[in-house]
Amino acid sequence: KVERVVQNGNYLWSIVPGPVYYWWGATTMILGLLISFIVLQSALEHRGEKRPELFLLCLASLNPICLWLFRVAGVFGYYDPYPMSMVITECFLVFVMYKYRLFDTVKTAKDRVIDNIREGILVTDHTGEVIYLNREISRIFPEVDWKEKQEIEETVFAFLEQHQEGFTVRDKYYQWEAGEIFDDNHRRAGVLYRISDRTEGHLYTRQLISLKEEAERANTAKSVFLAHMSHEIRTPINAVLGMNEMILRENCSDSIKDYALNIQNAGKILLSIINDILDMSKIESGQIEIVEKNYHLGKMLIDIENMMTMRAEEGSLALHIQADPMLPEMLYGDEQRIKQCIINFLTNSIKYTREGQVTLKVDFTDKDKDNIDLQITVEDTGIGIEEDKLSVLFDPFVRLDRS
C-alpha cells in the first residue's frame, strides 16, 4: 500500500510492503534457487566442457536473491532493489539466449544425440585444448581430470598415440580415429577424436583367426598322415610287385603267368591310387613338383593299356588306343603326371560306361621347331555329361553323376 509521510517539512510518498509484495519476493527467491539448482546439475553433467551460458544463467537466477540479502543487511536503506534486479536478470537472459542460441532446438537435439551415442567424442581447438567431450569419453577415461590440460595430454593423447591400432580398457576393445575441423574460412579450427567400441567385432575376428589356425593345423596333420601312410603302403606293394616280376621271369606255366600278370596289373593300379593320395597331400602342403625328363611316349601308352585293359574287361568294355603315327618317339616332360591324368580320364570313362567301348586318342600339333602341343582325347559310349553341368567340370570335389 502507499502512504504519505512528512519528512523535513516535505511530503513524501512511501510504499509499504503488503502480503502480495512478500508473496512475490518469496516466489522470486524460490524460482531463483530452483533455476540455480537445475543449472548447477546441468553443469555437473557437462563438467570439463566450456559452457559459459550455464555460468551466466546461474548468475541471472541468483541475482534477485543476492540483492534481497543486501537489502536485509541495510545496504540499500529505504530503496527497493527488486525492480533493478529484474532488469539485470532479464538483460542476462536476453544476452544468453541471443549469444548461445539457448532455445535452438536443432542445436539442443544435436548436443543430446552426441552426448548419448555409444562412441567417445572429444573435440580440441587449434591450440589443443579440450572444448567438448561427451559422456562416453568420460566413461572410457574416468580417472582423467578434464580441466587439467597437461594431464589430458599425458594421459589421453599420449595413450592414443601409443595404441594406433586399438586398445583394451576394462575388457572392452576400442579403436579411434581423428580428423581435423575447419571453419567457414577453411582455417584449421581444431581436431575431432572418435573412440568406438569394437569389442564384438574384435572378438569375432579373434575367433575366426583361432578357427583358421586350428583348421590349418588339422589340415597339416592330415597331409602329414597321408604322406606317411602312402610311403608305408607303397613299400610292401613294391615288394609284392618285385616278387611277382621274379615269378613272371622264372615260371614257364601259362596259367601261373596269367595269374602273375593280373597281380602285376592290380598292383600297378593300387600303386597309382596310392600315388594319387600322395600327390593330393603334396598339393595341400604346397610340396608338389613337376619333374621333367626325356620319356618314351610309346612305352608310356603301352603301360597305360596294360593297366586299364583289365578294368575295361571287367566291365565287358573294349579299350582302344589311337595314336597319330607321326608322333615323336621321345618327348620331354613329366611322364608321371601325364600318365596320371590320362589314367584318371580313362578310369572315369570306364566307370560310367555300361556297354560299348572307351577310346584313347593321342594327337599333336606343331608349336615350333622343338615343341609340340600334345592332345589327349578320351571318348566313350557312356551316359555322358549334362550340358548345364559342363561349367563345373573342372571344379574340385564336384561330382557330375546322373541320379
Side-chain angles (χ1 to χ4, degrees):
K1 62 183 179 178
V2 181
E3 296 180 351
R4 189 175 69 173
V5 297
V6 180
Q7 185 176 359
N8 299 326
N10 297 318
Y11 289 98
L12 297 175
W13 295 97
S14 175
I15 300 177
V16 180
V20 177
Y21 177 84
Y22 288 114
W23 173 83
W24 175 67
T27 303
T28 303
M29 286 188 290
I30 293 173
L31 290 176
L33 290 173
L34 182 61
I35 294 173
S36 300
F37 175 75
I38 295 173
V39 171
L40 181 60
Q41 186 180 19
S42 179
L44 291 175
E45 291 178 355
H46 298 85
R47 60 182 179 276
E49 303 177 24
K50 289 188 175 182
R51 302 294 292 269
E53 67 271 22
L54 298 178
F55 174 72
L56 294 176
L57 283 176
C58 188
L59 287 181
S61 60
L62 293 175
N63 177 61
I65 301 174
C66 293
L67 293 181
W68 179 80
L69 293 175
F70 289 154
R71 184 188 178 192
V72 172
V75 176
F76 297 106
Y78 292 101
Y79 293 102
D80 187 358
Y82 267 159
M84 182 59 66
S85 69
M86 297 306 297
V87 172
I88 296 174
T89 299
E90 290 173 0
C91 290
F92 269 111
L93 292 177
V94 171
F95 175 77
V96 171
M97 286 188 292
Y98 177 78
K99 176 69 175 178
Y100 299 101
R101 300 162 63 189
L102 191 61
F103 296 105
D104 188 342
T105 307
V106 176
K107 179 178 180 299
T108 304
K110 288 181 179 179
D111 289 343
R112 185 170 293 274
V113 169
I114 293 175
D115 207 37
N116 291 321
I117 60 175
R118 305 299 294 176
E119 187 175 77
I121 301 294
L122 180 65
V123 182
T124 61
D125 59 16
H126 66 282
T127 64
E129 187 174 353
V130 176
I131 58 176
Y132 180 82
L133 65 142
N134 66 348
R135 296 180 184 178
E136 186 64 21
I137 199 74
S138 300
R139 295 191 186 103
I140 299 174
F141 301 103
E143 70 283 355
V144 177
D145 185 358
W146 295 100
K147 295 180 181 179
E148 296 294 334
K149 182 177 179 180
Q150 184 176 358
E151 181 179 351
I152 296 172
E153 292 178 352
E154 295 177 353
T155 306
V156 179
F157 296 142
F159 179 81
L160 294 178
E161 288 297 327
Q162 294 174 1
H163 300 81
Q164 294 282 347
E165 300 298 326
F167 57 92
T168 301
V169 177
R170 291 181 296 280
D171 297 330
K172 287 190 175 183
Y173 182 77
Y174 295 94
Q175 288 183 328
W176 68 277
E177 58 182 350
E180 292 187 337
I181 304 173
F182 298 90
D183 59 17
D184 296 336
N185 296 321
H186 304 289
R187 293 177 302 186
R188 185 177 179 277
V191 180
L192 170 66
Y193 293 86
R194 296 174 55 192
I195 304 177
S196 306
D197 186 353
R198 306 292 187 189
T199 305
E200 185 176 351
H202 180 65
L203 293 177
Y204 182 70
T205 302
R206 289 178 59 184
Q207 184 179 9
L208 288 180
I209 294 174
S210 176
L211 292 174
K212 177 177 177 292
E213 292 176 349
E214 183 178 350
E216 289 176 348
R217 288 193 296 269
N219 188 57
T220 301
K222 181 195 72 174
S223 300
V224 172
F225 171 77
L226 289 176
H228 288 172
M229 289 301 298
S230 298
H231 284 297
E232 294 295 330
I233 296 174
R234 272 202 305 185
T235 300
I237 290 179
N238 286 327
V240 171
L241 291 176
M243 297 298 294
N244 187 71
E245 185 69 25
M246 295 177 63
I247 294 174
L248 288 172
R249 291 177 182 177
E250 299 177 2
N251 197 288
C252 298
S253 173
D254 293 336
S255 59
I256 293 178
K257 282 187 176 181
D258 288 339
Y259 296 148
L261 286 173
N262 290 336
I263 293 174
Q264 185 182 54
N265 290 330
K268 289 182 177 180
I269 292 173
L270 181 58
L271 191 61
S272 176
I273 294 173
I274 294 172
N275 287 334
D276 290 344
I277 296 174
L278 182 60
D279 289 341
M280 180 63 69
S281 65
K282 286 183 177 180
I283 291 172
E284 291 180 348
S285 60
Q287 297 178 354
I288 190 69
E289 295 180 358
I290 301 297
V291 180
E292 295 182 327
K293 61 181 180 179
N294 293 321
Y295 66 95
H296 194 286
L297 180 60
K299 291 183 178 180
M300 185 188 75
L301 294 178
I302 292 174
D303 289 342
I304 293 174
E305 183 179 17
N306 291 335
M307 294 174 64
M308 303 307 300
T309 297
M310 186 175 67
R311 284 194 181 185
E313 291 176 350
E314 289 176 354
S316 301
L317 301 174
L319 176 64
H320 302 291
I321 297 180
Q322 300 176 1
D324 190 331
M326 299 303 294
L327 276 166
E329 181 179 354
M330 298 298 296
L331 295 177
Y332 181 80
D334 193 331
E335 178 186 5
Q336 188 64 32
R337 304 299 173 204
I338 297 174
K339 183 190 294 186
Q340 184 179 3
C341 291
I342 295 175
I343 291 174
N344 287 340
F345 287 142
L346 290 173
T347 301
N348 282 334
S349 292
I350 294 172
K351 179 179 179 181
Y352 295 107
T353 301
R354 296 181 180 177
E355 58 182 13
Q357 63 185 16
V358 175
T359 303
L360 170 64
K361 295 182 179 180
V362 184
D363 202 351
F364 77 101
T365 57
D366 288 320
K367 192 172 183 180
D368 53 45
K369 181 180 178 180
D370 298 322
N371 296 279
I372 66 169
D373 284 331
L374 189 63
Q375 299 174 350
I376 306 295
T377 305
V378 177
E379 296 179 352
D380 59 58
T381 56
I383 58 178
I385 300 175
E386 296 178 357
E387 186 174 355
D388 59 342
K389 294 183 178 178
L390 292 176
S391 59
V392 297
L393 180 60
F394 295 101
D395 289 355
F397 309 110
V398 175
R399 299 190 62 178
L400 304 179
D401 302 29
R402 290 175 182 262
S403 57

